[in-house]
Each structure stands twice: as structure tokens, then as C-alpha cells.
Amino acid sequence: MSLVNALKVYAGLLLLLAVEVLVTLFWPRHDSVVMLAAAGQFLLLLVFYQGLYRHRGWVRLFGWLYLLWLLVMMVFILGESATR
């Protein structure tokens, strides 16, 4: 990963962290926004940690399917916890 791309990833992570902190401080009843920002951080880290931006073929396909499965499970778990 080039230095410019790494800086973009770090800037995105810091922006999502700022969203989490500001929502927690000023709008404490909006837990879903904090969870979405945390999920965004998690997915951003996974995409760049797994290197899905540079791989081709089956590796990229299964990597994105894995991330989609994690997203579906997160929605399912949050839905279950919200209905209890």
C-alpha cells in the first residue's frame, strides 16, 4: 500500500472515531450511529488488512463474500438485541 493510500485509510478511521465520540457526547440515545461507525472502522480495516483492493479473481470474490457475511451477521445480532 502506498503512503497516500495508507494516509487515506488512517484519515477515514480517525473520521469514524470522531463521529463515534461526538455522537456519544452530544446524542447519547443514538447508539445505532456509534455501532455503524464502529462497523465501518472494522470493515475498513478488514478490507485493507486482507488486501482485497489489490487481489484478483477468487481471492477477491471470497474476501468480499466473507465481509458481506460479517455484515449480515452483525445486522442479525443487532436486530436480535434490539427486539429483546
Side-chain angles (χ1 to χ4, degrees):
M1 181 181 331
S2 69
L3 179 63
V4 174
N5 286 337
L7 290 176
K8 287 179 185 178
V9 171
Y10 291 133
L13 290 172
L14 288 174
L15 179 68
L16 289 171
L17 179 64
V19 167
E20 289 175 10
V21 170
L22 290 174
V23 168
T24 303
L25 289 176
F26 298 112
W27 301 287
R29 296 191 187 267
H30 291 90
D31 294 336
S32 60
V33 176
V34 174
M35 290 298 290
L36 286 174
Q41 286 177 326
F42 178 71
L43 290 175
L44 187 63
L45 282 173
L46 266 177
V47 166
F48 283 95
Y49 177 73
Q50 288 186 344
L52 294 180
Y53 61 94
R54 67 172 179 223
H55 290 298
R56 301 283 181 246
W58 291 105
V59 174
R60 178 180 271 187
L61 175 68
F62 285 120
W64 284 108
L65 287 175
Y66 173 70
L67 290 177
L68 180 65
W69 176 251
L70 287 176
L71 182 66
V72 167
M73 291 307 296
M74 182 192 73
V75 168
F76 175 75
I77 291 169
L78 289 176
E80 282 291 316
S81 66
T83 58
R84 292 184 178 194

